[in-house]
């Protein structure tokens, strides 16, 4: 057994018992990265020298904290002081922030050792990580397949044992979908649970920072470090943060689980439906009460999402104008040409598509028909969930309609690609927490099961997800030897 | 021309709110710093940065609303106003669109003794943009520099109803609004520093027509004078165009100070589509009734209240009261002076006469005055005590204004004390009588006018220092 194969809590135990030093752990991580990175291509940049320094500092207790000396990765959307932050875009190819994201800073303050910055779809727009301006990331389960997206690098790196855990962001499913494709745990917390400060915005009212880990216990540990109000993010809320590890008790007897019929309909692979239904059976056998419910407005979530998200994105990405930072056309004769040439060259086609969609949706004369209507749909979706949560503790459904698809398979067809988010976007529209955990394999590829909770009730998600690991024995799924 | 048309004017005023730090970050708002020294990643629009609302801005906006008789809704929100410009770092301005902090309201102006009420539509909070610095002329410059010190400075945009009918009404409105903002302590209102800016919406229509004509929005009005001139020019331009059979198009125009004319910037077709939508980075703002009421109780005296006080407690004419309440500094000067010299009309006369003449001549504000109310009170007391004459006082006053020295010092230095001593005066009187036998003879023969000539000679001999009352009495005795 190599150190890089272990979970965060296993590494912590070894480290606390002086059976492994941080330096050994971090060395093992880099050994693994150098072994597999050529195939997986999860990282945009590595911070090897600094990481090794921090590991040594942690060993001499100069880099203290709850996870002192423990390696982690960050999606390249988290600003890192002094370290290039690209958002997988040509626009920010050489951008070095002077500040850290709050979530990243909290991990640093806890003694975490940043290994590198992870690949993603450009500006988090995509579901396959093929939209990275630099290169595609490959799914460790099958290198010819995508890892999902937009946080595909984070999911792939955890799955390939390149880091024990990583942070990502989830605007429409960008944590849960790649977690499902790569067979790892992916938690998107409630909107407002984790600070968005220093995280480059895609759609501000939907973006939320979350965790990729190998098992549920690690997810709880990391949440303990990053959750909570940040005075620098006005949308982060003053809600008490519980000790999430206290939910790792598997006590799900009597828990009321809702199973929404709309999530088991047309377009969702029969094998996936079957896998999730089997999991529900296991829950029932363990004493949970499972009932079918309806979330009638689910079908409108995807179109409404693509209006709200693109509208916000059109404003959020307007600041990339070449004036203060980022790519700039220095040859333009006048400022208008400088703006448009810089943006034309800096952004990839999917980013341009979404900026145009959002600009259109907000335009005078179309606002009411598109953006305003989408906000109304958003309200209805929230109310659907609220009704179910009046009677149930959580909702269980598939995370994705299919397992990981082939690289290149959907790239030319944006609408098909958008359909990947159909089961994940309702959670974002309602601002709820959702977690994806592996619930089995289908044709050798992981199947993700999605658990959706009440606002700020990540604890119940962790409890139920942990229970499933215990009941099913499915924990730390590893790709077959020989693939990578 | 002009008889058959009426001008309709509404004003949009941007007042910089008086806070130490910017609206969404901790940077200083101080005026005049070196370019880009009061900036941070938030106000320069760096990736991943988020705005956090400065509560002081909300407080000042509420106080303004109360002072303008507005309704403060318990719920308001921020919106993004999208447009590209190099001085706008996020390429959107955080502003308030459909749910502003202040709704409705009014203020009263006085035109030729008649009171007129001007409606206020709304007032909303927003952030200022930065500014561009061109090397020379904007059209010929090879490059421009961006200074973001001003980016994120808090503004309140106050929009009036189209209730004004002349340039002088517009000026009176802006003066009154400025006075209110100054008294309420919410803004410095320095037009030359840009902390008070004004755009005018101007249209014309035949008298009796109730619908509004197409309007021009006039920008770049940097003084009360340019506001008046621009409105006068624009109204004339529109009326002439209509009389020539042209249609007025809705457009944005700019005031050219050199040419004393407005010119077109962009038409409605070229107007920006700002694509407003709710700002997702800031939760909607809930304003409690208690907060509003607490601010109402600490509201300072406003110009209207002060004006009534001056009329009722001191018996001043409304004209005087209106002028003295144009700024809190002038009212404070008056109040302090009257406390030390309790003859309000006399104080008012001096302030509105001599003081305001000298301030205007030198283009100064009362806060720039080098002496204070105590010195004016002392000067007036010296007149009453007979130490100096009213005429001498005016000279001393000019000296005080120029040097800032107190009146007693000026009098001592120049030996300007009034001569009331009988023996000294009798000596001079006798000399004058002796030197002018013919005139003395005329007086004794009943020529009253001759007395004036003799008094004049006595004043001349004493370099104007003789007490005229005493001279009169003594002269008659000696004759």
């Amino acid at each position: 057994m190599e150190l890089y194969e272990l979970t965060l809590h296993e590494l912590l135990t070894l480290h606390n018992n002086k059976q492994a030093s941080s330096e050994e752990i971090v060395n093992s991580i880099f050994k693994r990265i150098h072994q597999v990175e050529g195939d997986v291509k999860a990282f945009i940049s590595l911070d090897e020298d600094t990481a090794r320094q921090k590991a040594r500092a942690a060993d001499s207790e100069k880099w203290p904290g709850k996870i002192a000396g423990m390696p982690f990765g960050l999606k390249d959307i988290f600003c890192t002081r002094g370290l290039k932050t690209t958002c997988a875009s040509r626009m920010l190819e050489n951008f070095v922030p002077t500040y850290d994201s709050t979530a990243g800073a909290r991990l640093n303050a806890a003694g975490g050792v940043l290994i590198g910055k992870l690949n993603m779809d450009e500006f988090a727009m995509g579901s396959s990580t093929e939209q990275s301006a630099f290169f595609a990331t490959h799914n460790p389960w099958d290198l010819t397949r995508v890892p999902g997206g937009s946080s595909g690098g984070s999911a792939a790196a955890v799955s390939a044992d390149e880091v024990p855990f990583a942070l990502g962001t989830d605007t429409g499913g960008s944590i849960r979908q790649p977690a499902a494709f790569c067979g790892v745990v992916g938690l998107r917390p409630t909107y407002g649970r984790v600070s968005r400060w220093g995280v480059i915005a895609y759609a501000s009212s939907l973006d939320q920072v979350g965790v990729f880990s190998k098992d549920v216990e690690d997810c709880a540990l990391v949440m303990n470090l990053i959750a909570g109000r940040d005075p620098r993010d006005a949308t982060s809320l003053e809600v008490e943060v519980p000790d999430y590890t206290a939910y790792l008790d598997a006590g799900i007897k009597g828990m009321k689980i809702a199973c929404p019929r709309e999530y088991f309909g047309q377009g969702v692979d029969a094998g996936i439906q079957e896998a999730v239904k089997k999991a529900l059976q296991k829950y029932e056998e363990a004493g949970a009460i499972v009932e079918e419910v309806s979330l009638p407005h689910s079908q409108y979530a995807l179109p409404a999402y693509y209006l709200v998200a693109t509208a916000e994105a059109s404003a959020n990405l307007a600041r990339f104008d070449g004036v203060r930072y980022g790519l700039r056309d220095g040859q333009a004769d006048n400022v208008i040409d400088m703006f448009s040439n810089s943006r034309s060259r800096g952004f990839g086609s999917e980013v341009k598509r979404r900026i145009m969609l959002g600009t259109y949706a907000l335009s005078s004369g179309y606002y009411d028909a598109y953006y305003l209507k989408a906000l109304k749909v958003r309200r209805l979706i929230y109310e659907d969930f609220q009704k179910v949560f009046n009677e149930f503790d959580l909702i269980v459904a598939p995370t994705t309609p299919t397992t990981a698809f082939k690289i290149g398979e959907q790239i030319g067809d944006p609408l098909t690609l958008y359909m990947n988010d159909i089961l994940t976007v309702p959670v974002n529209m309602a601002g709820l927490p959702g977690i994806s955990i592996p619930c089995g394999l289908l044709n050798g590829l992981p199947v993700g099961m999605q658990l959706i909770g009440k606002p700020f009730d990540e604890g119940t998600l962790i409890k139920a997800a942990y229970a499933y690991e215990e009941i099913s024995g499915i924990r730390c799924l590893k790709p077959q030897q020989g693939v990578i | 021309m002009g008889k058959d048309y009426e001008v309709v004017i509404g004003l949009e005023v941007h007042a910089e709110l008086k806070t130490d730090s910017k609206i969404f970050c901790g940077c200083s708002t101080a005026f005049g710093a070196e370019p880009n020294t009061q900036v941070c990643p938030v106000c320069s629009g760096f990736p991943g940065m988020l705005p956090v609302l400065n509560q002081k801005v909300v407080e000042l906006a509420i106080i303004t609303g109360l002072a303008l008789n507005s309704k403060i809704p318990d719920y308001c929100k921020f919106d993004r106003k999208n447009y590209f410009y190099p001085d706008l770092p996020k390429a959107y301005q955080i502003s308030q669109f459909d749910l502003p902090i202040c709704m409705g309201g009014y203020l009263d102006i006085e035109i030729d003794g008649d009171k007129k009420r001007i409606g206020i539509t709304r007032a909303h909070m927003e952030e200022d943009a930065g500014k561009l610095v061109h090397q020379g002329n904007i059209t010929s410059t090879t490059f421009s520099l961006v200074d973001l010190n001003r980016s994120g400075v808090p503004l309140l945009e106050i929009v009036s109803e189209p209730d004004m009918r002349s340039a002088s009404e517009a000026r009176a409105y802006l003066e009154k609004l400025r006075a209110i903002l100054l008294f309420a302590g919410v803004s410095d209102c320095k037009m030359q520093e840009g902390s008070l800016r004004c755009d005018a919406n101007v249209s014309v229509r035949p008298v009796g027509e109730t619908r509004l004509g197409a309007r021009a929005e006039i920008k770049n009005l940097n003084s009360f004078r340019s506001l008046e001139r621009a409105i006068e020019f624009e109204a004339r331009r529109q009326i002439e165009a209509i009389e020539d059979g042209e249609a007025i198009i809705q457009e944005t125009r700019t005031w050219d100070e050199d040419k004393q004319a407005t010119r077109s910037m962009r038409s409605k077709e070229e107007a920006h589509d700002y694509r407003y939508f709710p700002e997702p980075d800031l939760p909607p703002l809930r304003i409690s009734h208690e907060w509003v009421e607490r601010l109402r109780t600490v509201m300072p005296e406003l110009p209207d209240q002060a004006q009534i006080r001056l009329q009722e407690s001191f018996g001043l004419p409304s004209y005087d009261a209106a002028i003295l309440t144009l700024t809190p500094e002038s009212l404070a000067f008056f109040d302090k002076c009257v406390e030390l010299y309790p003859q309000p009309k006399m104080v008012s006369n001096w302030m509105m006469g001599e003081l305001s003449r000298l301030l205007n001549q030198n283009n100064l504000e009362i806060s720039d005055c080098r002496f204070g109310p105590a010195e004016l009170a002392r000067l007036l007391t010296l007149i009453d005590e007979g130490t100096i004459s009213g005429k001498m006082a005016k000279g001393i006053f000019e000296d005080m204004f120029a040097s800032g020295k107190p009146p007693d010092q000026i009098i001592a230095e120049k030996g300007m004390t009034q001569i009331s001593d009988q023996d000294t005066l009798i000596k001079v009187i006798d000399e004058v009588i002796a030197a002018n036998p013919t005139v003395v003879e005329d007086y004794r023969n009943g020529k009253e006018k001759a007395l004036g000539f003799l008094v004049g000679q006595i004043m001349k001999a004493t370099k104007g220092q003789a007490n005229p009352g005493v001279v009169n009495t003594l002269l008659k005795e000696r004759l």
Side-chain angles (χ1 to χ4, degrees), chain A residues 81-101:
Chain A
R81 193 172 62 171
L83 188 64
K84 218 170 55 172
T85 301
T86 69
C87 239
S89 179
R90 294 279 171 220
M91 181 61 84
L92 292 178
E93 196 166 0
N94 298 304
F95 175 63
V96 180
T98 56
Y99 42 86
D100 275 318
S101 67

mmCIF file of all heavy atoms in Angstrom, chain A residues 81-101:
data_model
loop_
_atom_site.group_PDB
_atom_site.id
_atom_site.type_symbol
_atom_site.label_atom_id
_atom_site.label_comp_id
_atom_site.label_asym_id
_atom_site.label_seq_id
_atom_site.Cartn_x
_atom_site.Cartn_y
_atom_site.Cartn_z
ATOM 1 N N ARG A 81 -2.596 33.368 -4.031
ATOM 2 C CA ARG A 81 -1.650 34.476 -3.984
ATOM 3 C C ARG A 81 -0.280 34.027 -4.479
ATOM 4 O O ARG A 81 0.285 33.055 -3.992
ATOM 5 C CB ARG A 81 -1.542 35.008 -2.552
ATOM 6 C CG ARG A 81 -0.827 36.359 -2.495
ATOM 7 C CD ARG A 81 -0.904 36.943 -1.134
ATOM 8 N NE ARG A 81 -0.239 36.077 -0.167
ATOM 9 C CZ ARG A 81 0.004 36.429 1.080
ATOM 10 N NH1 ARG A 81 -0.378 37.609 1.514
ATOM 11 N NH2 ARG A 81 0.608 35.607 1.908
ATOM 12 N N GLY A 82 0.223 34.735 -5.486
ATOM 13 C CA GLY A 82 1.555 34.431 -6.004
ATOM 14 C C GLY A 82 1.607 33.210 -6.901
ATOM 15 O O GLY A 82 2.680 32.831 -7.360
ATOM 16 N N LEU A 83 0.461 32.574 -7.132
ATOM 17 C CA LEU A 83 0.444 31.368 -7.963
ATOM 18 C C LEU A 83 -0.584 31.558 -9.083
ATOM 19 O O LEU A 83 -1.723 31.936 -8.826
ATOM 20 C CB LEU A 83 0.079 30.156 -7.092
ATOM 21 C CG LEU A 83 0.192 28.776 -7.714
ATOM 22 C CD1 LEU A 83 1.639 28.467 -8.083
ATOM 23 C CD2 LEU A 83 -0.322 27.720 -6.720
ATOM 24 N N LYS A 84 -0.143 31.299 -10.302
ATOM 25 C CA LYS A 84 -0.977 31.509 -11.478
ATOM 26 C C LYS A 84 -2.376 30.918 -11.316
ATOM 27 O O LYS A 84 -2.535 29.795 -10.850
ATOM 28 C CB LYS A 84 -0.277 30.827 -12.663
ATOM 29 C CG LYS A 84 -0.373 31.545 -13.949
ATOM 30 C CD LYS A 84 0.546 30.916 -14.976
ATOM 31 C CE LYS A 84 0.288 29.414 -15.154
ATOM 32 N NZ LYS A 84 1.036 28.828 -16.280
ATOM 33 N N THR A 85 -3.393 31.699 -11.652
ATOM 34 C CA THR A 85 -4.785 31.257 -11.573
ATOM 35 C C THR A 85 -5.423 31.554 -12.912
ATOM 36 O O THR A 85 -5.637 32.715 -13.257
ATOM 37 C CB THR A 85 -5.515 32.003 -10.444
ATOM 38 O OG1 THR A 85 -4.831 31.742 -9.212
ATOM 39 C CG2 THR A 85 -6.958 31.560 -10.342
ATOM 40 N N THR A 86 -5.691 30.488 -13.695
ATOM 41 C CA THR A 86 -6.038 30.710 -15.107
ATOM 42 C C THR A 86 -7.511 30.544 -15.437
ATOM 43 O O THR A 86 -7.950 31.004 -16.481
ATOM 44 C CB THR A 86 -5.283 29.717 -16.008
ATOM 45 O OG1 THR A 86 -5.807 28.400 -15.765
ATOM 46 C CG2 THR A 86 -3.786 29.732 -15.731
ATOM 47 N N CYS A 87 -8.261 29.863 -14.590
ATOM 48 C CA CYS A 87 -9.648 29.522 -14.925
ATOM 49 C C CYS A 87 -9.691 28.748 -16.249
ATOM 50 O O CYS A 87 -10.681 28.772 -16.956
ATOM 51 C CB CYS A 87 -10.529 30.774 -14.993
ATOM 52 S SG CYS A 87 -11.906 30.712 -13.825
ATOM 53 N N ALA A 88 -8.586 28.102 -16.577
ATOM 54 C CA ALA A 88 -8.450 27.325 -17.822
ATOM 55 C C ALA A 88 -8.762 28.158 -19.049
ATOM 56 O O ALA A 88 -9.344 27.675 -20.017
ATOM 57 C CB ALA A 88 -9.310 26.059 -17.784
ATOM 58 N N SER A 89 -8.376 29.439 -18.983
ATOM 59 C CA SER A 89 -8.669 30.354 -20.086
ATOM 60 C C SER A 89 -7.393 31.027 -20.585
ATOM 61 O O SER A 89 -6.513 31.367 -19.793
ATOM 62 C CB SER A 89 -9.651 31.427 -19.608
ATOM 63 O OG SER A 89 -9.926 32.338 -20.648
ATOM 64 N N ARG A 90 -7.322 31.244 -21.897
ATOM 65 C CA ARG A 90 -6.232 32.039 -22.458
ATOM 66 C C ARG A 90 -6.264 33.452 -21.865
ATOM 67 O O ARG A 90 -5.231 34.104 -21.734
ATOM 68 C CB ARG A 90 -6.375 32.158 -23.979
ATOM 69 C CG ARG A 90 -6.207 30.851 -24.719
ATOM 70 C CD ARG A 90 -4.730 30.498 -24.920
ATOM 71 N NE ARG A 90 -4.626 29.135 -25.455
ATOM 72 C CZ ARG A 90 -3.710 28.257 -25.084
ATOM 73 N NH1 ARG A 90 -2.794 28.599 -24.185
ATOM 74 N NH2 ARG A 90 -3.684 27.047 -25.588
ATOM 75 N N MET A 91 -7.471 33.895 -21.540
ATOM 76 C CA MET A 91 -7.632 35.240 -20.999
ATOM 77 C C MET A 91 -6.768 35.453 -19.757
ATOM 78 O O MET A 91 -6.198 36.516 -19.562
ATOM 79 C CB MET A 91 -9.124 35.456 -20.664
ATOM 80 C CG MET A 91 -9.470 36.819 -20.112
ATOM 81 S SD MET A 91 -9.081 38.165 -21.243
ATOM 82 C CE MET A 91 -10.525 38.195 -22.290
ATOM 83 N N LEU A 92 -6.676 34.409 -18.908
ATOM 84 C CA LEU A 92 -5.958 34.550 -17.641
ATOM 85 C C LEU A 92 -4.709 33.663 -17.600
ATOM 86 O O LEU A 92 -4.224 33.317 -16.527
ATOM 87 C CB LEU A 92 -6.898 34.220 -16.472
ATOM 88 C CG LEU A 92 -8.047 35.209 -16.242
ATOM 89 C CD1 LEU A 92 -8.940 34.752 -15.090
ATOM 90 C CD2 LEU A 92 -7.512 36.616 -15.947
ATOM 91 N N GLU A 93 -4.199 33.330 -18.778
ATOM 92 C CA GLU A 93 -3.089 32.387 -18.861
ATOM 93 C C GLU A 93 -1.916 32.787 -17.969
ATOM 94 O O GLU A 93 -1.239 31.938 -17.396
ATOM 95 C CB GLU A 93 -2.622 32.293 -20.316
ATOM 96 C CG GLU A 93 -1.768 31.090 -20.579
ATOM 97 C CD GLU A 93 -1.593 30.825 -22.063
ATOM 98 O OE1 GLU A 93 -2.141 31.590 -22.887
ATOM 99 O OE2 GLU A 93 -0.905 29.841 -22.389
ATOM 100 N N ASN A 94 -1.689 34.078 -17.825
ATOM 101 C CA ASN A 94 -0.545 34.538 -17.019
ATOM 102 C C ASN A 94 -0.964 35.365 -15.812
ATOM 103 O O ASN A 94 -0.203 36.185 -15.311
ATOM 104 C CB ASN A 94 0.394 35.371 -17.900
ATOM 105 C CG ASN A 94 0.951 34.536 -19.035
ATOM 106 O OD1 ASN A 94 1.551 33.491 -18.801
ATOM 107 N ND2 ASN A 94 0.710 34.956 -20.258
ATOM 108 N N PHE A 95 -2.194 35.155 -15.344
ATOM 109 C CA PHE A 95 -2.700 35.970 -14.244
ATOM 110 C C PHE A 95 -2.246 35.403 -12.896
ATOM 111 O O PHE A 95 -2.503 34.242 -12.568
ATOM 112 C CB PHE A 95 -4.233 36.029 -14.300
ATOM 113 C CG PHE A 95 -4.851 36.759 -13.140
ATOM 114 C CD1 PHE A 95 -4.593 38.115 -12.931
ATOM 115 C CD2 PHE A 95 -5.672 36.093 -12.238
ATOM 116 C CE1 PHE A 95 -5.153 38.793 -11.854
ATOM 117 C CE2 PHE A 95 -6.242 36.768 -11.160
ATOM 118 C CZ PHE A 95 -5.976 38.111 -10.976
ATOM 119 N N VAL A 96 -1.576 36.237 -12.116
ATOM 120 C CA VAL A 96 -1.112 35.836 -10.781
ATOM 121 C C VAL A 96 -1.794 36.739 -9.747
ATOM 122 O O VAL A 96 -1.472 37.920 -9.640
ATOM 123 C CB VAL A 96 0.421 35.967 -10.660
ATOM 124 C CG1 VAL A 96 0.873 35.549 -9.253
ATOM 125 C CG2 VAL A 96 1.120 35.114 -11.709
ATOM 126 N N PRO A 97 -2.754 36.197 -9.006
ATOM 127 C CA PRO A 97 -3.477 37.029 -8.032
ATOM 128 C C PRO A 97 -2.575 37.469 -6.873
ATOM 129 O O PRO A 97 -1.557 36.837 -6.582
ATOM 130 C CB PRO A 97 -4.586 36.112 -7.507
ATOM 131 C CG PRO A 97 -4.645 34.963 -8.455
ATOM 132 C CD PRO A 97 -3.276 34.836 -9.042
ATOM 133 N N THR A 98 -2.998 38.547 -6.217
ATOM 134 C CA THR A 98 -2.287 39.036 -5.031
ATOM 135 C C THR A 98 -3.024 38.619 -3.770
ATOM 136 O O THR A 98 -2.759 39.121 -2.697
ATOM 137 C CB THR A 98 -2.207 40.569 -5.063
ATOM 138 O OG1 THR A 98 -3.548 41.076 -5.179
ATOM 139 C CG2 THR A 98 -1.377 41.075 -6.222
ATOM 140 N N TYR A 99 -4.010 37.722 -3.946
ATOM 141 C CA TYR A 99 -4.845 37.351 -2.802
ATOM 142 C C TYR A 99 -5.252 35.885 -2.919
ATOM 143 O O TYR A 99 -5.205 35.305 -4.002
ATOM 144 C CB TYR A 99 -6.120 38.222 -2.774
ATOM 145 C CG TYR A 99 -6.720 38.408 -4.146
ATOM 146 C CD1 TYR A 99 -7.606 37.471 -4.670
ATOM 147 C CD2 TYR A 99 -6.355 39.499 -4.956
ATOM 148 C CE1 TYR A 99 -8.124 37.613 -5.950
ATOM 149 C CE2 TYR A 99 -6.874 39.644 -6.237
ATOM 150 C CZ TYR A 99 -7.756 38.701 -6.723
ATOM 151 O OH TYR A 99 -8.259 38.826 -7.995
ATOM 152 N N ASP A 100 -5.638 35.309 -1.768
ATOM 153 C CA ASP A 100 -6.110 33.923 -1.722
ATOM 154 C C ASP A 100 -7.618 33.897 -1.561
ATOM 155 O O ASP A 100 -8.196 34.765 -0.912
ATOM 156 C CB ASP A 100 -5.507 33.222 -0.495
ATOM 157 C CG ASP A 100 -4.120 32.662 -0.759
ATOM 158 O OD1 ASP A 100 -3.922 32.081 -1.845
ATOM 159 O OD2 ASP A 100 -3.253 32.805 0.126
ATOM 160 N N SER A 101 -8.252 32.870 -2.107
ATOM 161 C CA SER A 101 -9.674 32.653 -1.816
ATOM 162 C C SER A 101 -9.803 32.338 -0.325
ATOM 163 O O SER A 101 -8.859 31.844 0.302
ATOM 164 C CB SER A 101 -10.196 31.481 -2.640
ATOM 165 O OG SER A 101 -9.573 30.281 -2.195
#
